[in-house]
Amino acid sequence: MKNTLKAPFLLLIFFSFCLSAFSQSGSKEQNREHVSLDKDWRFAFGHPSDTKKDFNTGIAYFSYLAKAGFGDGAANANFDDRSWRKLDLPHDWAVEQGFSKDASFSHGFKAIGRNFPDKSIGWYRKKITIPQSDLGRRIHLAFDGVFRNSIVWINGHYLGNQDSGYLGFEYDITDYINYGGENTIAVRVDATMEEGWFYEGAGIYRHVWLNKSNELHIPQNGTFVKTKTKDNTTTVNALVTVANDGKASKSFQIIQTITDATGKNVSEKTINSCSLNPRENKDFTCDLTVENATLWSIENPYLYQMTTSIFEDEKLVDTFETTFGIRTIRFDANEGFFLNEKHVKIKGTNNHQDHAGVGAAMPDALQDFRIKTLKSFGSNAYRCSHNPPTPELLEACDRLGMLVIDENRLMGSTQNQLNDVKKLIERDRNHPSIISWSVGNEEWGIENDIVGARIASSMQSYVKSIDASRPATAAFSGGIGSNGITTVMDLLGINYIVNKSTDKQHQLFPNQCLWGTEEGSTNATRGEYYRDNQKRIMPAYDKAPSASFISIENGWRHYNSRPYLAGMFVWTGFDYRGEPTPFDFPSVGSYFGMVDQCGFYKDTAWYLKSWWQNEPVLHLLPHWNWTGKENQSIEVWAYSNCDEVELFLNRKSLGKKTMQKDSHLEWNVNYTPGTLEAIGYKNGKKSISEIVKTTGTAAILNLESNKNSLEAWKNDIAMITVSTKDKAGLQVPIADNEVSFTISGPAKIIGVGNGNPTSLEADKYLETITVLNIENLKEKMVADFNVSDETKENVATDSWQKAFTDDRNAAFGEKVKNIVYRTEFELPANYTESTINFFYNSLGKQQSIFINGKKIADAIPENKHGDTFLLDKTMLHSGKNTLAIVATPLLKVNSWDVVNQNPGTIQLITKADNYKRKLFNGLAQVIIQTTGEVGEVKLSATANGLKSTEIIIKTVQ
Ligand code: GAL
């Protein structure tokens, strides 16, 4: 091909061109910066209706909705947030709360939402410095996802609202910035309402970025790479949107370069003579060619990189990297799904976006852990139920080889709703892992009628207009109708075959592709084998919970035995918070998962592992610790992909059985303690064995990590499994000891869990912050600044007037040279357990401050940033304490000036308790995260009556 012949020559020119461009304009990073704003935020709860508790925001005569730059209360740049909690993002405040039966079933009874107004509005503030040298660049503030209904201000300027808890959004803040100085971001998040019927978290639970670029730049999500492969040649169609946010026209050149996974340049193309008018946005497209491309697949998720460079007058002004894969997908109404023209049966799971210990605020490395967990039992597909996921989840699926259904939140075809679909597709369209866009899930209100059909059809054609390379799907749960959604979708998702005959649908719509977007909804508690309604336990044998559902095994047999079905998605891969069906409070987590909320296998994961992948599998259930059930019959099941399995109890054979495809084996065994052993045969030969022994009681704690070393600078995490062993070294499957944890070195514990859906234990152990507002000031004019009577601990103030009754005008200044303010504040009985800070705001041009008669500040000058005092606890009492301030009054210069009347706050910080968690059926999980330094982390575990243990993990650069 022409392009290939010329490649070395073009490359040479390209590199010398780039070199000169870099030397003219500095490093390529200066053209575009993508800066994380995750660190060092301040956080406090506001209130939906009590304006005082909501920091008096939005109540001014002219509020932020009336006048530009009029953000008042906590939206004001000068608001004093020193007493607010310091934290880093991502942050989910829902997971930090306790449980309550008055809270929402859907949100796992975490005490937030309508019945908990004090814990439903969260305020975040952060100060950032933007250098003078950024003047002239375009600066965008981007949020990957905030749950939910957020309002954002910068420097008191209202930027906008975003009601979705799942879609990312960004604001162009170029014009609002204080260049060369401090800038204040304020975000109010309202999690009063739910969007889903599952746990959704609360707060800024995904990353926040500052994106800096030149006036001529590639806007957010501005590239779209499509590939087509014929024989050994792949045509890569590269679209880039370029925006000219300047006030003059621009001429420029675009160079598209493809590098392979080793970084080798494999193709490039130049688009010359491009131009844009001021404030114009345009798409520029070119085709590149890759010969003998390595295809992206589940087994070999090979990724390429497209580097888009924009040159204006030979100067590199923007560089943008797009990761993509080269692969083909095809759905066939009779034969199912093909990846790279190879038939692949979809072995999928549905998942929500929360994990034990951390809720919705998942560190990036946790995405990898979860995808690897699902892959470990052979799953090859992931449905993002029922909302746009965080970008890092999709990156993990691209990297690890997991197919994805990317799902829109609310079905609808108004402009707004279609715009949400557009945002989702434009954000995610370059991920090779995504094979379908889901436009809706079980829309009972419309799915069987003509309105549903119209909406589905509009959404489907809209999706096609943006991305024709992947089909839209809709998950459907109703019966067969002649009107509804089932009649219009090219790729229909069936939620539960008990609701609908796939055979009939296929017969009626022979050209329609079908897959099972939900199947299962079975209920199981990990490690439990008898139902107990009182204890809210569901047995872990794979049985249908009711006539409205079927077992995972029956579901898979249905889908795997019909070639026209592309495959199925189990409801669910991971357990999640909320939806504790079939129970209610105090069950707080789901029972649907193949693995629990920590990722520990329930037995059915072994069923899937035996039929969803090819390694030999032999797994026995239940455990063999049944004191009290001696001589009673116990169902023993074997999951295996062997041809035959023979079971032994204490060496005595209980018979060899032949395995049917996609099935399992069962024996009824009279319980005697000892050893259950199974031997699996393939082609008549012993292939694998499995032993389950009756254990003694727990004696020793045991810690195991999924990683021995962590990448210090990447906020890397280790997932630590906690278990116990008996004296003989056997893991005890029924241990329920409470274990306490301490950590030293460059990491912290960020959450604990144990997979028990009824556990009401804390996920996080955090310091508590109590803030006392200093109010009800009284004042008295005094002649001398160095008064002594008025500042004593006990002073009768009955004759003093309410502070600030008199206007602080010049006349007041003439009359009053010194003034004493007094008030009281109450400390709790256990105040000595806290660190106590006084965040003072100046009330005078000069002031001395007294607490209980003791001077803590002597004639200090006015400080616009406030003064902070760490209070000596020996000068304080529980109950009433007095505060006296002698000040030379602050005066207005103009009649409209506002003189500070707020002396500040007293903040009590009480240290967090040590992390602890009970083992649940033998297991618990601790998640630790690096704090950024290189060193050695030691996690120690102790429990009453057990030998303690510790684990060392290195953090490396
Ligand atoms: C489905 C629904 C899922 C989940 C599941 C529980 O109807 O789509 O989100 O609620 O039921 O059985």
Side-chain angles (χ1 to χ4, degrees):
M1 301 241 354
K2 216 162 104 204
N3 195 36
T4 336
L5 286 173
K6 281 192 177 167
F9 179 57
L10 281 176
L11 257 179
L12 202 71
I13 297 181
F14 175 69
F15 279 126
S16 41
F17 192 32
C18 286
L19 270 178
S20 69
F22 287 146
S23 58
Q24 280 170 33
S25 58
S27 74
K28 75 175 186 188
E29 282 73 33
Q30 281 180 332
N31 297 311
R32 166 178 292 274
E33 280 178 71
H34 185 52
V35 185
S36 166
L37 293 189
D38 283 354
K39 294 261 183 252
D40 299 327
W41 286 76
R42 294 277 185 178
F43 173 80
F45 284 113
H47 200 277
S49 56
D50 182 330
T51 46
K52 198 168 154 198
K53 285 186 177 168
D54 208 33
F55 310 107
N56 297 316
T57 311
I59 59 164
Y61 186 4
F62 296 107
S63 85
Y64 67 93
L65 292 176
K67 297 278 180 191
F70 269 48
D72 57 345
N76 190 300
N78 298 324
F79 175 82
D80 180 8
D81 59 17
R82 287 171 297 161
S83 62
W84 288 17
R85 176 179 158 198
K86 285 185 193 163
L87 52 77
D88 295 337
L89 306 177
H91 172 236
D92 171 3
W93 83 69
V95 78
E96 297 172 353
Q97 306 311 311
F99 299 90
S100 164
K101 67 171 175 20
D102 299 326
S104 159
F105 176 90
S106 303
H107 277 203
F109 296 100
K110 280 285 186 183
I112 70 160
R114 283 198 194 273
N115 292 338
F116 303 88
D118 285 322
K119 295 290 157 64
S120 292
I121 305 290
W123 276 93
Y124 294 84
R125 288 174 52 93
K126 178 176 171 61
K127 292 195 188 335
I128 53 171
T129 303
I130 297 191
Q132 186 67 40
S133 55
D134 277 349
L135 188 61
R137 302 176 88 183
R138 301 308 297 186
I139 318 276
H140 289 83
L141 177 62
F143 293 79
D144 283 350
V146 179
F147 195 85
R148 75 178 291 283
N149 209 1
S150 61
I151 313 177
V152 183
W153 295 263
I154 184 132
N155 299 335
H157 292 270
Y158 165 64
L159 301 176
N161 285 56
Q162 169 60 264
D163 59 353
S164 165
Y166 298 103
L167 283 170
F169 54 97
E170 69 161 14
Y171 298 109
D172 183 339
I173 56 170
T174 311
D175 294 341
Y176 298 94
I177 290 169
N178 170 25
Y179 291 93
E182 194 177 75
N183 294 272
T184 306
I185 304 166
V187 186
R188 184 181 189 268
V189 183
D190 183 347
T192 312
M193 287 278 290
E194 300 175 354
E195 290 185 53
W197 51 99
F198 39 85
Y199 180 83
E200 301 177 282
I204 309 181
Y205 71 100
R206 295 183 186 170
H207 299 305
V208 178
W209 308 94
L210 196 64
N211 293 323
K212 303 181 182 180
S213 63
N214 283 313
E215 283 183 344
L216 186 68
H217 67 112
I218 301 162
Q220 199 184 36
N221 307 321
T223 61
F224 189 10
V225 179
K226 288 182 271 188
T227 66
K228 218 177 228 158
T229 302
K230 195 159 182 250
D231 303 325
N232 292 328
T233 304
T234 301
T235 306
V236 180
N237 178 260
L239 173 146
V240 56
T241 308
V242 184
N244 174 12
D245 282 340
K247 296 186 179 75
S249 300
K250 307 250 181 203
S251 304
F252 55 95
Q253 181 190 43
I254 302 167
I255 299 183
Q256 298 279 25
T257 314
I258 301 175
T259 45
D260 67 13
T262 68
K264 198 172 116 209
N265 185 334
V266 293
S267 190
E268 87 273 321
K269 203 63 174 280
T270 303
I271 312 177
N272 285 311
S273 311
C274 312
S275 63
L276 284 173
N277 293 325
R279 308 299 303 195
E280 192 185 11
N281 261 27
K282 225 199 264 176
D283 292 345
F284 298 88
T285 312
C286 68
D287 283 346
L288 296 92
T289 308
V290 178
E291 296 296 339
N292 298 315
T294 306
L295 302 184
W296 183 94
S297 66
I298 292 158
E299 303 76 24
N300 181 23
Y302 193 92
L303 295 171
Y304 287 88
Q305 191 94 4
M306 173 78 70
T307 304
T308 310
S309 310
I310 313 280
F311 289 88
E312 188 189 354
D313 300 329
E314 302 197 354
K315 189 172 147 197
L316 183 66
V317 294
D318 200 6
T319 315
F320 191 84
E321 309 282 349
T322 308
T323 303
F324 69 100
I326 297 177
R327 52 108 183 101
T328 61
I329 58 166
R330 180 165 66 85
F331 286 85
D332 183 279
N334 294 311
E335 295 174 50
F337 175 71
F338 293 81
L339 179 65
N340 302 323
E341 285 309 319
K342 215 179 99 203
H343 181 259
V344 174
K345 196 82 179 180
I346 302 288
K347 299 159 179 167
T349 64
N350 283 271
N351 293 281
H352 287 312
Q353 56 168 17
D354 64 302
H355 191 91
V358 296
M362 286 209 223
D364 298 348
L366 188 48
Q367 306 292 351
D368 281 45
F369 172 82
R370 286 168 63 90
I371 296 301
K372 282 181 186 163
T373 301
L374 298 170
K375 278 196 80 134
S376 74
F377 59 84
S379 177
N380 61 17
Y382 183 106
R383 177 173 174 227
C384 306
S385 337
H386 301 292
N387 48 262
T390 192
E392 290 73 27
L393 178 268
L394 299 172
E395 283 162 20
C397 292
D398 286 350
R399 247 184 294 111
L400 298 169
M402 176 68 85
L403 306 170
V404 175
I405 301 183
D406 198 354
E407 192 153 297
N408 171 54
R409 181 61 294 285
L410 190 63
M411 198 164 188
S413 56
T414 64
Q415 220 68 52
N416 268 354
Q417 287 159 329
L418 292 182
N419 209 28
D420 284 354
V421 173
K422 186 170 178 205
K423 276 191 198 153
L424 169 72
I425 299 179
E426 287 187 345
R427 188 194 67 165
D428 294 344
R429 59 193 172 178
N430 292 313
H431 290 284
S433 53
I434 297 174
I435 57 170
S436 172
W437 306 109
S438 168
V439 297
N441 175 69
E442 293 196 5
E443 292 296 344
W444 303 314
I446 55 171
E447 63 183 12
N448 278 314
D449 66 24
I450 186 68
V451 173
R454 283 193 212 125
I455 291 174
S457 157
S458 292
M459 292 184 90
Q460 179 168 257
S461 64
Y462 187 73
V463 165
K464 253 186 224 164
S465 75
I466 310 172
D467 175 17
S469 73
R470 302 163 172 103
T473 194
F476 177 85
S477 61
I480 295 180
S482 50
N483 265 336
I485 288 175
T486 56
T487 61
V488 298
M489 295 306 295
D490 297 340
L491 171 59
L492 181 69
I494 307 289
N495 278 11
Y496 308 104
I497 52 177
V498 285
N499 293 331
K500 180 163 189 68
S501 157
T502 60
D503 292 342
K504 241 191 206 154
Q505 180 73 15
H506 182 50
Q507 217 176 14
L508 275 173
F509 299 90
N511 297 322
Q512 183 177 55
C513 302
L514 293 172
W515 57 356
T517 32
E518 283 179 36
E519 199 49 71
S521 274
T522 54
N523 309 131
T525 309
R526 173 181 57 75
E528 296 284 352
Y529 300 92
Y530 291 93
R531 182 165 180 159
D532 185 330
N533 285 343
Q534 276 236 300
K535 290 190 182 155
R536 293 166 169 78
I537 288 171
M538 292 301 285
Y541 296 103
D542 175 30
K543 294 179 184 174
S546 71
S548 319
F549 295 94
I550 57 166
S551 66
I552 301 296
E553 178 172 322
N554 283 334
W556 176 239
R557 286 166 77 121
H558 178 93
Y559 278 90
N560 201 28
S561 58
R562 288 165 173 79
Y564 71 86
L565 293 169
M568 76 170 199
F569 291 80
V570 171
W571 187 268
T572 52
F574 276 79
D575 268 339
Y576 51 96
R577 295 160 195 282
E579 276 205 304
T581 318
F583 302 119
D584 207 329
F585 190 82
S587 275
V588 293
S590 82
Y591 293 71
F592 299 119
M594 300 297 97
V595 300
D596 69 18
Q597 281 186 38
C598 301
F600 297 132
Y601 274 29
K602 299 186 197 173
D603 295 289
T604 312
W606 289 101
Y607 165 75
L608 294 173
K609 191 174 170 97
S610 53
W611 300 112
W612 277 11
Q613 55 89 61
N614 297 324
E615 273 169 42
V617 169
L618 179 51
H619 172 78
L620 287 178
L621 61 149
H623 59 70
W624 212 238
N625 280 32
W626 295 109
T627 306
K629 288 204 186 293
E630 285 76 7
N631 293 320
Q632 290 180 30
S633 174
I634 290 183
E635 272 182 67
V636 174
W637 288 24
Y639 286 134
S640 179
N641 44 15
C642 291
D643 305 334
E644 294 167 308
V645 177
E646 185 167 8
L647 184 71
F648 300 84
L649 176 62
N650 296 330
R651 302 229 166 123
K652 193 170 154 265
S653 174
L654 304 177
K656 197 190 254 187
K657 297 196 176 185
T658 304
M659 182 68 80
Q660 300 302 315
K661 182 170 181 286
D662 292 335
S663 187
H664 72 278
L665 294 172
E666 289 182 21
W667 290 261
N668 285 318
V669 180
N670 282 347
Y671 179 64
T672 317
T675 304
L676 264 186
E677 182 173 11
I679 297 178
Y681 296 86
K682 265 205 162 148
N683 302 320
K685 282 200 191 120
K686 183 176 164 183
S687 152
I688 185 172
S689 64
E690 164 78 345
I691 287 177
V692 178
K693 283 188 176 174
T694 308
T695 75
T697 52
I700 308 164
L701 279 167
N702 187 43
L703 296 177
E704 274 165 58
S705 172
N706 69 330
K707 290 181 191 166
N708 298 324
S709 71
L710 300 178
E711 290 179 271
W713 50 276
K714 267 195 169 171
N715 299 323
D716 203 359
I717 58 164
M719 309 296 287
I720 316 280
T721 301
V722 191
S723 61
T724 60
K725 290 183 174 168
D726 68 4
K727 283 202 177 110
L730 293 173
Q731 189 177 315
V732 182
I734 53 171
D736 61 358
N737 312 66
E738 185 175 79
V739 188
S740 298
F741 307 97
T742 51
I743 191 163
S744 62
K748 58 187 180 200
I749 301 176
I750 58 167
V752 286
N754 62 13
N756 179 358
T758 67
S759 170
L760 302 183
E761 295 162 277
D763 298 283
K764 293 197 176 265
Y765 289 82
L766 302 171
E767 60 183 23
T768 51
I769 295 182
T770 312
V771 178
L772 311 174
N773 292 322
I774 302 177
E775 294 169 318
N776 304 322
L777 258 65
K778 283 185 150 186
E779 65 184 16
K780 182 181 173 192
M781 291 75 180
V782 290
D784 186 2
F785 184 79
N786 292 312
V787 280
S788 58
D789 285 352
E790 285 78 1
T791 60
K792 286 188 176 138
E793 180 165 13
N794 296 312
V795 173
T797 57
D798 303 342
S799 62
W800 294 34
Q801 73 169 353
K802 190 169 175 269
F804 303 104
T805 311
D806 302 320
D807 195 13
R808 269 22 183 186
N809 52 20
F812 181 83
E814 284 301 314
K815 198 171 67 187
V816 181
K817 298 297 174 199
N818 299 294
I819 193 160
V820 184
Y821 299 103
R822 279 190 76 96
T823 190
E824 291 170 342
F825 58 92
E826 298 246 352
L827 289 176
N830 61 350
Y831 77 95
T832 52
E833 291 164 20
S834 305
T835 303
I836 304 175
N837 289 306
F838 175 25
F839 296 114
Y840 174 68
N841 291 317
S842 296
L843 290 185
K845 288 195 176 310
Q846 170 181 285
Q847 50 250 291
S848 294
I849 306 170
F850 302 81
I851 288 187
N852 295 329
K854 308 230 168 44
K855 194 188 271 184
I856 62 161
D858 189 10
I860 56 170
E862 182 185 4
N863 180 353
K864 291 260 187 278
H865 300 290
D867 296 288
T868 300
F869 302 97
L870 173 64
L871 297 186
D872 173 359
K873 282 177 245 177
T874 59
M875 69 163 64
L876 301 168
H877 328 294
S878 63
K880 261 188 198 129
N881 291 262
T882 63
L883 170 70
I885 299 153
V886 190
T888 53
L890 295 172
L891 299 175
K892 290 178 174 181
V893 178
N894 304 301
S895 61
W896 56 84
D897 287 345
V898 179
V899 161
N900 179 43
Q901 303 186 359
N902 170 16
T905 49
I906 303 255
Q907 178 207 48
L908 286 82
I909 302 184
T910 314
K911 264 207 186 146
D913 288 341
N914 279 344
Y915 267 85
K916 56 178 192 262
R917 189 69 169 195
K918 280 180 95 172
L919 296 172
F920 177 63
N921 290 325
L923 299 172
Q925 183 173 68
V926 182
I927 309 176
I928 69 168
Q929 183 169 39
T930 59
T931 46
E933 305 85 28
V934 169
E936 212 171 69
V937 179
K938 186 162 87 181
L939 179 76
S940 309
T942 54
N944 273 344
L946 299 186
K947 190 163 172 247
S948 29
T949 190
E950 61 188 40
I951 189 167
I952 308 273
I953 295 167
K954 290 203 161 32
T955 58
V956 294
Q957 210 46 266

